Amino acid sequence: MNYILLTPGPTPLPPSVYKVMGEQILHHRTAEFGVQFQFVLDEMRYVYRTKNDVVMLTTSGTGAMESAVVNLLSPGDKALVHQTGAFGERFTKIMKAYGLSPVVVDEVWGNAADPEKLREALKKNPGLKLVTFQHTDTSTGVVNDLKALSAVVHEVQPDALVVVDSISGLGAEELETDAWGIDVALTGSQKGLMAPPGLAFAAVSERAWKACETAALPRFYLDWRTMRRSLPKKETPYTPAVTLVAAQAEALRLIREEGIENVWKRTAELAAYTRAAVAKMGLTLFAKDPADILTAVNLPAGMDGKKLIKDILREERISIAGGQLHLEGKIVRIAHMGWIKKADVDAGLKALSSRLQPTHA
Ligand SMILES: *Cc1c(COP(=O)(O)O)cnc(C)c1O
């Protein structure tokens, strides 16, 4: 019996995506692969809403985050991380691992990044090379107002680059990379993009490419410059995950067929439906500014959230995410992005509501 995946990555795969992964494998230095690779990059530009060059990485999303750090920064550079949850903290950890000391602006978990708080921090810390945000912080279920945040960065520190982790947001929640002035937009294949885990992408502006040329942190496998040099040949510098490229190509074909605005709309409708259903159960949302990609739900006081999730997985084969770090056991997170359907969400909601009664055996 199959599992129902309601997790914020990996998400379920469309049947046609499974199918292409069963086809004969291509060699990566062939014209046939080149066509597929170019298609993926072109369609990623469509989903990103950008004219910038997009590079593809054979890593999970965190590899894309690390690639932004090593390709844009030098020892001693100043960077600001606007944290709204566990994934903002990850940017801070990566920078510290490379010997940097980022300025951290912290929001209470569940709140979105406050543009006024950002403005104050930008005024107090001149000379920043870059500022990072999450598009959607999957740990808390918030969506950040990237349009407003990016505008504040460009206004107060025009030389600073805007770097966005849209690993869970892209392909589910509205993102306008170029119109919003986002210099680097990072994503991964296994969430809104409806492909298996293992590929990541970065859309990089000309300003960011300039910074990339002179950045002095050590880098080799994640060096965007070698990736960009291979683009005219429709190749990657090293062996790409060719099977995943085929899968991603098919998933992107489906997104184009539906239209990205329709994908956003469908995701927003399923999110509204989920939030209403949760309220009907008498539960409250964790996020003050809830995203459309997933719904984070506060569990009743005294309820063992870790056990709840284990029970639902064992008894119903439904995979629901719990809380991360200090939220472990206190919230559950029901994803509704990508190929997750209303029937899947209904199964998850039913599993949750039937276990809210203390008498449940
Ligand atoms: C999933 C996710 C990541 C990275 O996760 P990987 O497990 O490395 O793919 C980073 N940021 C956000 C917001 C995410 O949701």
Side-chain angles (χ1 to χ4, degrees), residues 304-315 329 355:
D304 182 349
K306 275 168 79 176
K307 181 176 181 299
L308 173 75
I309 282 168
K310 271 193 196 144
D311 288 349
I312 292 178
L313 182 62
R314 193 183 58 245
E315 292 163 17
R355 284 168 179 77

Short mmCIF file of all heavy atoms in Angstrom, two decimals, residues 304-315 329 355:
data_model
loop_
_atom_site.label_atom_id
_atom_site.label_comp_id
_atom_site.label_asym_id
_atom_site.label_seq_id
_atom_site.Cartn_x
_atom_site.Cartn_y
_atom_site.Cartn_z
N ASP A 304 0.90 14.77 22.80
CA ASP A 304 2.25 14.35 22.40
C ASP A 304 2.33 14.31 20.87
O ASP A 304 1.94 13.33 20.24
CB ASP A 304 2.54 12.97 23.02
CG ASP A 304 3.95 12.48 22.68
OD1 ASP A 304 4.61 13.10 21.80
OD2 ASP A 304 4.39 11.49 23.29
N GLY A 305 2.83 15.37 20.29
CA GLY A 305 2.87 15.50 18.84
C GLY A 305 3.77 14.48 18.16
O GLY A 305 3.49 14.06 17.03
N LYS A 306 4.84 14.09 18.86
CA LYS A 306 5.75 13.11 18.26
C LYS A 306 5.06 11.76 18.11
O LYS A 306 5.18 11.08 17.09
CB LYS A 306 7.01 12.96 19.12
CG LYS A 306 8.07 14.00 18.80
CD LYS A 306 9.18 14.04 19.82
CE LYS A 306 10.19 12.93 19.64
NZ LYS A 306 11.31 13.08 20.62
N LYS A 307 4.31 11.40 19.14
CA LYS A 307 3.58 10.13 19.12
C LYS A 307 2.46 10.20 18.07
O LYS A 307 2.25 9.24 17.32
CB LYS A 307 2.99 9.83 20.51
CG LYS A 307 2.22 8.52 20.58
CD LYS A 307 1.74 8.24 22.00
CE LYS A 307 0.98 6.92 22.08
NZ LYS A 307 -0.23 6.89 21.25
N LEU A 308 1.80 11.32 18.02
CA LEU A 308 0.69 11.52 17.06
C LEU A 308 1.17 11.23 15.63
O LEU A 308 0.54 10.50 14.87
CB LEU A 308 0.18 12.96 17.17
CG LEU A 308 -0.86 13.39 16.13
CD1 LEU A 308 -2.21 12.78 16.44
CD2 LEU A 308 -0.97 14.92 16.08
N ILE A 309 2.30 11.81 15.28
CA ILE A 309 2.82 11.66 13.92
C ILE A 309 3.22 10.21 13.65
O ILE A 309 2.96 9.67 12.57
CB ILE A 309 3.99 12.64 13.73
CG1 ILE A 309 3.40 14.03 13.50
CG2 ILE A 309 4.89 12.24 12.58
CD1 ILE A 309 4.40 15.12 13.59
N LYS A 310 3.84 9.59 14.65
CA LYS A 310 4.23 8.17 14.50
C LYS A 310 3.00 7.29 14.33
O LYS A 310 2.98 6.38 13.51
CB LYS A 310 5.01 7.71 15.75
CG LYS A 310 6.50 7.96 15.64
CD LYS A 310 7.23 7.20 16.75
CE LYS A 310 8.64 7.72 16.92
NZ LYS A 310 9.08 7.73 18.32
N ASP A 311 1.96 7.56 15.12
CA ASP A 311 0.73 6.77 15.04
C ASP A 311 0.09 6.91 13.66
O ASP A 311 -0.35 5.92 13.07
CB ASP A 311 -0.28 7.23 16.11
CG ASP A 311 0.14 6.81 17.51
OD1 ASP A 311 1.09 6.01 17.62
OD2 ASP A 311 -0.47 7.31 18.48
N ILE A 312 0.02 8.14 13.18
CA ILE A 312 -0.64 8.38 11.88
C ILE A 312 0.14 7.69 10.77
O ILE A 312 -0.45 7.10 9.85
CB ILE A 312 -0.80 9.91 11.63
CG1 ILE A 312 -1.82 10.51 12.61
CG2 ILE A 312 -1.24 10.18 10.19
CD1 ILE A 312 -2.02 12.01 12.49
N LEU A 313 1.45 7.69 10.87
CA LEU A 313 2.26 7.03 9.84
C LEU A 313 2.06 5.50 9.91
O LEU A 313 1.85 4.84 8.89
CB LEU A 313 3.74 7.39 10.03
CG LEU A 313 4.70 6.80 9.01
CD1 LEU A 313 4.37 7.30 7.60
CD2 LEU A 313 6.15 7.14 9.34
N ARG A 314 2.10 4.96 11.11
CA ARG A 314 2.00 3.51 11.27
C ARG A 314 0.59 3.00 10.95
O ARG A 314 0.42 2.00 10.25
CB ARG A 314 2.39 3.11 12.70
CG ARG A 314 2.62 1.60 12.89
CD ARG A 314 2.93 1.24 14.33
NE ARG A 314 1.87 1.65 15.23
CZ ARG A 314 2.00 2.57 16.19
NH1 ARG A 314 3.14 3.19 16.38
NH2 ARG A 314 0.97 2.89 16.95
N GLU A 315 -0.41 3.70 11.45
CA GLU A 315 -1.78 3.19 11.33
C GLU A 315 -2.46 3.57 10.01
O GLU A 315 -3.34 2.87 9.55
CB GLU A 315 -2.63 3.70 12.52
CG GLU A 315 -2.16 3.09 13.84
CD GLU A 315 -2.67 3.87 15.05
OE1 GLU A 315 -3.62 4.67 14.90
OE2 GLU A 315 -2.10 3.70 16.14
N GLY A 329 7.10 18.22 18.63
CA GLY A 329 6.03 17.69 19.47
C GLY A 329 4.89 18.67 19.70
O GLY A 329 3.84 18.31 20.22
N ARG A 355 -7.89 11.83 16.10
CA ARG A 355 -6.99 11.61 17.24
C ARG A 355 -7.01 12.75 18.25
O ARG A 355 -6.25 12.75 19.21
CB ARG A 355 -5.57 11.37 16.73
CG ARG A 355 -5.41 9.98 16.16
CD ARG A 355 -4.12 9.80 15.41
NE ARG A 355 -4.03 8.43 14.90
CZ ARG A 355 -4.68 7.99 13.84
NH1 ARG A 355 -5.47 8.79 13.16
NH2 ARG A 355 -4.55 6.72 13.46
#
